Amino acid sequence: MAAPGGVLLVFAVVAVIVAVFYGAGPAVSWATVVLLGLIGMASLSLRRLRQRNGGTNRRVCVLVLGDIGRSPRMRYHSLSLCKHGFSVTFVGFVGPKLFVYITKVVVQCLQLLSVLLRMELQSHLLMQNPPGLPSISVAWFVCIIRGSRLIIDWHNYGYTIMALSHGPRHPLVRLAKWYEHFFGPLATHSLCVTKAMKDDLQKNWGIRATTLYDRPASFFRETPLEVQHELFLRLANTHPQFQSSSSEQEEETLEKTLFTARDLTDDAVTRRTKRPALLISSTSWTEDEDFSVLLKALEAYEGFIRGGASLPSLVCVITGKGPQKEHYRRQIASLHLQHVNICTPWLEAEDYPVLLGSADLGVCLHMSSSGLDLPMKVVDMFGCCLPVCAIHFSCLHELVKHEENGLVFRDSQELAEQLKSLLSEFPSSQSKLGMFRRNLRTSREQRWDDNWDQTVLPLIAAP
């Protein structure tokens, strides 16, 4: 809201204009007077919106038109900015699901305009795409009015995600593609997640982007055995898959889970010798991940054991929430598995990295809608030195090195054979699975902070 003095000034200017043109006689219409008055008011408002002060260059708005909880990369951006002394305004929300799509876009436009025009002037506006409709156009418009610089962080293309449910020739998909192609190049700077996306943006969109690979935050690391035990105890309270299967006649001095045991006399925690392997996958339960691939592979793994193969039992934990979760939970309930237990918990944010750091193997079913982005979940798993089996798509090799830090599969049968191969010597550290973990330990790449400091900070700090 304008200061009272500013409002009085606007009225004074309008009054002068009216008096001048009123004195000029009837040749000048009142419509002209009103128009000039509006122009004067708009000019004053624009001046106020662009008025900078000593703190403007240290303020950045981070925009996510969606679920902040599912945007770790943008949260990391915000933390990095704060560490370097910037004042960060984080804008993120989800539009009401009851509105039809067009109504939702209009409402979000008005909401976003209201929020961005009322906040303090920011030197930069850093936004995530997708979702980019309507946020790219609104953010660009606000930056033009206020003199801020727009940075778009391209995680994927919104129209390719939309095509998963509507088909590539749907009018909305074609409109979304035109929209991204038109407004995307208007940003001051662009970031992207892979070299393949950088090349595609340059070749097909005329956008010169800087590749900022996702890197794990510092809290993604291997979990100490004592912390693993505490997590398994908590999970056992609500998920029987983690409860000890031992008889009640065993020593009362041992506190057991299915995977670990604590000697209550000296508090020492050890892994149980006959424990199952702990397999983990995470998902937002959307169309870009077909979890029937994993379920069929687990059925085949069960078949290997029933056929006499010397393999450990499996506990498969699939974390996350999303629209298709109940559909897959019904599929899981219909399976008849004796050697594979599956649970689908929703973990607290602080427990997720602890579970990753406690697991034996990760599975990723992310199928990129564009073929140009990389799964953040694998980045986090590698931060915990957790080997991965990941489903193939075109630029996955930029992250998963086949036969070095994990394996790449194309269908459920190939995944089943990989599980059999990796777990045939479990829990020996001299197995192929153990080799992958050692490779991850010795080839640790940059963490997020160092990578961000080298790549993004120069863009933000530039005059």
Side-chain angles (χ1 to χ4, degrees), residues 62 71-90 126 217-219 448-449 452-453:
V62 176
S71 304
R73 182 175 167 103
M74 302 309 287
R75 298 200 307 273
Y76 295 169
H77 275 305
S78 298
L79 290 172
S80 294
L81 286 163
C82 290
K83 288 177 181 177
H84 286 277
F86 288 89
S87 174
V88 178
T89 302
F90 203 138
L126 170 60
S218 58
F219 48 81
W448 171 269
D449 290 336
W452 191 93
D453 290 354

Side-chain angles (χ1 to χ4, degrees), residues 225-226 229-230 253 255 261-270:
L225 196 53
E226 295 78 10
H229 183 72
E230 294 297 330
T253 58
E255 177 186 66
R262 170 182 279 154
D263 189 332
L264 298 178
T265 60
D266 60 6
D267 252 7
V269 177
T270 56

Side-chain angles (χ1 to χ4, degrees), residues 93-136:
F93 52 87
V94 180
K97 294 183 179 180
L98 295 178
F99 288 117
V100 296
Y101 191 77
I102 295 177
T103 306
K104 174 182 173 182
V105 169
V106 171
V107 170
Q108 287 183 334
C109 273
L110 296 175
Q111 285 180 308
L112 196 52
L113 272 172
S114 175
V115 170
L116 296 181
L117 290 176
R118 285 162 48 188
M119 70 171 57
E120 286 186 292
L121 181 59
Q122 316 282 309
S123 65
H124 292 78
L125 195 159
L126 170 60
M127 64 160 291
Q128 168 186 302
N129 184 69
L133 185 65
S135 55
I136 298 180

Side-chain angles (χ1 to χ4, degrees), residues 114-411:
S114 175
V115 170
L116 296 181
L117 290 176
R118 285 162 48 188
M119 70 171 57
E120 286 186 292
L121 181 59
Q122 316 282 309
S123 65
H124 292 78
L125 195 159
L126 170 60
M127 64 160 291
Q128 168 186 302
N129 184 69
L133 185 65
S135 55
I136 298 180
S137 58
V138 175
W140 170 77
F141 176 72
V142 169
C143 286
I144 289 295
I145 288 178
R146 307 203 69 181
S148 302
R149 296 177 182 178
L150 176 62
I151 301 176
I152 298 178
D153 191 352
W154 295 84
H155 297 193
N156 203 340
Y157 299 147
Y159 77 90
T160 62
I161 295 176
M162 201 179 283
L164 293 174
S165 52
H166 296 294
R169 301 191 63 80
H170 192 281
L172 279 177
V173 176
R174 297 171 73 176
L175 175 63
K177 183 177 182 179
W178 171 86
Y179 174 89
E180 285 182 292
H181 270 273
F182 182 83
F183 284 101
L186 301 179
T188 309
H189 299 292
S190 290
L191 304 171
C192 62
V193 293
T194 62
K195 183 179 181 298
M197 180 171 281
K198 176 182 178 178
D199 294 342
D200 188 73
L201 285 168
Q202 175 70 62
K203 179 180 178 181
N204 298 315
W205 298 60
I207 296 174
R208 299 183 64 180
T210 300
T211 302
L212 175 70
Y213 281 113
D214 283 319
R215 294 286 186 256
S218 58
F219 48 81
F220 283 99
R221 56 184 180 270
E222 291 185 83
T223 304
L225 196 53
E226 295 78 10
V227 181
Q228 290 186 32
H229 183 72
E230 294 297 330
L231 174 65
F232 295 150
L233 283 175
R234 291 198 302 275
L235 290 173
N237 291 329
T238 51
H239 299 283
Q241 293 87 350
F242 290 87
Q243 294 174 2
S244 172
S245 57
S246 303
S247 65
E248 296 181 358
Q249 282 75 31
E250 287 194 284
E251 296 180 59
E252 295 182 357
T253 58
L254 291 180
E255 177 186 66
K256 291 188 175 183
T257 71
L258 188 60
F259 301 94
T260 54
R262 170 182 279 154
D263 189 332
L264 298 178
T265 60
D266 60 6
D267 252 7
V269 177
T270 56
R271 290 186 176 90
R272 300 187 64 175
T273 54
K274 298 294 184 181
R275 70 184 186 279
L278 179 56
L279 188 73
I280 186 166
S281 186
S282 60
T283 178
S284 53
W285 299 106
T286 52
E287 292 90 347
D288 61 352
E289 292 179 310
D290 181 4
F291 263 79
S292 64
V293 174
L294 175 58
L295 299 184
K296 290 175 183 176
L298 293 177
E299 285 187 289
Y301 185 88
E302 172 86 12
F304 295 151
I305 296 178
R306 291 184 180 182
S310 178
L311 294 168
S313 296
L314 275 181
V315 172
C316 177
V317 180
I318 308 173
T319 71
K321 62 180 179 180
Q324 294 192 326
K325 183 171 184 176
E326 289 306 315
H327 165 73
Y328 282 109
R329 288 183 71 173
R330 288 192 294 270
Q331 283 194 27
I332 292 168
S334 69
L335 301 177
H336 301 286
L337 305 175
Q338 295 178 347
H339 303 281
V340 177
N341 281 312
I342 305 172
C343 63
T344 57
W346 171 247
L347 295 174
E348 296 296 329
E350 60 270 19
D351 285 340
Y352 177 63
V354 177
L355 185 59
L356 286 187
S358 307
D360 298 300
L361 179 64
V363 172
C364 175
L365 292 165
H366 173 80
M367 285 288 291
S368 171
S369 61
S370 64
L372 299 172
D373 69 313
L374 293 172
M376 186 72 180
K377 67 195 72 179
V378 173
V379 174
D380 295 337
M381 289 175 181
F382 283 173
C384 296
C385 297
L386 178 64
V388 170
C389 292
I391 196 164
H392 174 270
F393 60 89
S394 58
C395 71
L396 184 64
H397 64 275
E398 293 189 39
L399 178 62
V400 180
K401 313 298 182 185
H402 187 66
E403 294 286 356
E404 181 179 322
N405 55 20
L407 298 174
V408 178
F409 62 90
R410 295 177 182 270
D411 54 38

